[in-house]
Amino acid sequence: MTSLAVIPARAGSTRLKNKNIYPLGGKPLIRWAVEAVLNSGVFDKVVISTDGDHIFDAVKDLPVERHIRPEDHATVTATALDAMINLMDDYKSSEFDNFAYFLPTCPFVSPEDIRSGFEMLDEKTDFVISMTEMPAPIQLACIMKDDSVVPVFDNLTSGLTNSKFIQKYHKPSGAFYMGKWDKILEYKNFFKGRVKGVLMPKLRCVDIDDIDDINFAESVIKRG
């Protein structure tokens, strides 16, 4: 069984300039995810998909190769999933059995997290997703229309706000999406078919979007 890992890294970040190579803990952000993938030891090839030379320069000393991300898949509205399916078209489906992509904005994914996910990708599983617990109960969600408050669920209107009435929910952490090559092309989605999840602890699920996230991530590093 052969496996391809991809780290998609678009150059045109908006909220944090040069986000994918922003310094974190003394090295460019993208290196955290790339090094974790390489250290997991489960992939036959690791590819950086980017439209920015400066992004690839940050990792070109590592055993990775570059895929030049097309302009139409490097826009603000382009999705990582669409970009990954486009990339898969550039590689022979006969060459790989499994495919995974890792967001460079999730720096604290560990090689152990990756190996755990990869081991779950067996003959009875189509996809494995990194997951984390929702930080706040979604049952307390409201929509604000101007200054009016509209509860989304009936917990608030029914007074069911005690923790015993609140079911825990989870969401993708963003660290990784793994799947069987043929199933990805069939479903063009990672949440159809037979899906399993790897639950990651909160502090390994930091997702970098702006400078506040960088500052928090730095504090996590200092805490060790």
Side-chain angles (χ1 to χ4, degrees), residues 7 16 38 75 103 115 141 154 160 162-163 166 168 178:
I7 295 86
L16 183 62
L38 291 170
T75 64
L103 296 183
R115 284 193 289 268
D154 61 6
L160 302 176
N162 188 288
S163 60
I166 301 294
K168 289 184 178 180
M178 302 178 179

Side-chain angles (χ1 to χ4, degrees), residues 134-182:
M134 295 283 287
I138 62 172
Q139 296 90 338
L140 305 184
C142 296
I143 296 173
M144 290 198 67
K145 298 179 179 180
D146 296 323
D147 57 358
S148 297
V149 176
V150 180
V152 176
F153 304 96
D154 61 6
N155 289 69
L156 290 171
T157 55
S158 301
L160 302 176
T161 58
N162 188 288
S163 60
K164 67 182 179 181
F165 300 116
I166 301 294
Q167 178 180 338
K168 289 184 178 180
Y169 283 85
H170 300 84
K171 66 180 180 113
S173 74
F176 62 77
Y177 300 80
M178 302 178 179
K180 302 288 181 57
W181 190 284
D182 59 338

Side-chain angles (χ1 to χ4, degrees), residues 44-70:
D44 299 279
K45 183 178 289 188
V46 178
V47 173
I48 312 301
S49 177
T50 183
D51 56 324
D53 294 342
H54 60 297
I55 292 177
F56 186 70
D57 285 346
V59 294
K60 67 180 182 181
D61 60 307
L62 300 174
V64 298
E65 68 178 50
R66 180 182 179 181
H67 170 266
I68 298 178
R69 190 162 172 171

